[in-house]
Amino acid sequence: MITRTVHSLEAQQIIKDALAANSVEMHIDSQGSEHFVTYSVTLEAGQVAYSAYRASRGGKTHDGKPLPVALPADLLSAWGSFAAAVMTGCGVDQAYQRYLTERSGLAVAGGAAPDWNELRNTKPDIAAAWADAANALTPAP
């Protein structure tokens, strides 16, 4: 086992990279003689949804390749459309359609992406990951 000290700027960068965050801010609170460190993290809603999707898929694509932690700009935009739809009350099926519209109906690999019904019927594990992505954006009751 190796022990190393991580200073605040490095810790912030590690958190930022791990969560694909836009920014990380450290806060130090004092309660009596004790000090507590917390971090505020700013994330794109599309990245939050994608991260939940990625976690649901075990970090792998449908064919076993690794999913990246951070999204490239073109995919972040599509995931942002998905997230915006969910946050305005659309169901996962409608939000997925917004994602497809942003992607011009194309899957990441370049071929035609399945519509929601086809996805649910032929790849229920992937449809479930999309549902997990939507749930990540929905506040708990």
Side-chain angles (χ1 to χ4, degrees), residues 13 15-22 43-44 46-48 50-52 54 59 66-77 79 108:
Q13 190 62 47
I15 292 168
K16 186 177 179 182
D17 292 345
L19 298 175
N22 293 3
L43 303 158
E44 295 285 339
Q47 183 65 48
V48 170
Y50 169 75
S51 293
R54 183 179 181 276
L67 287 165
V69 172
L71 287 168
D74 63 325
L75 290 176
L76 184 56
S77 176
W79 276 96
V108 174

Side-chain angles (χ1 to χ4, degrees), residues 2-13:
I2 297 172
T3 302
R4 86 180 247 242
T5 300
V6 178
H7 297 282
S8 62
L9 289 177
E10 184 180 3
Q12 287 175 277
Q13 190 62 47

Side-chain angles (χ1 to χ4, degrees), residues 21-88:
N22 293 3
S23 65
V24 177
E25 184 177 313
M26 183 179 76
H27 306 277
I28 301 173
D29 297 315
S30 298
Q31 293 179 356
S33 63
E34 295 186 62
H35 301 287
F36 301 93
V37 176
T38 59
Y39 294 90
S40 298
V41 181
T42 304
L43 303 158
E44 295 285 339
Q47 183 65 48
V48 170
Y50 169 75
S51 293
Y53 173 89
R54 183 179 181 276
S56 182
R57 299 284 307 142
K60 304 288 183 185
T61 63
H62 71 281
D63 57 357
K65 294 178 184 164
L67 287 165
V69 172
L71 287 168
D74 63 325
L75 290 176
L76 184 56
S77 176
W79 276 96
S81 293
F82 172 86
V86 169
M87 293 188 311
T88 58

Side-chain angles (χ1 to χ4, degrees), residues 89-128:
C90 292
V92 66
D93 56 336
Q94 295 167 315
Y96 176 74
Q97 184 56 49
R98 300 255 180 101
Y99 168 89
L100 288 181
T101 299
E102 183 77 22
R103 298 270 313 135
S104 301
L106 298 176
V108 174
D115 67 16
W116 181 250
N117 288 330
E118 181 183 349
L119 189 65
R120 273 191 14 225
N121 292 326
T122 62
K123 297 180 180 181
D125 56 322
I126 294 176

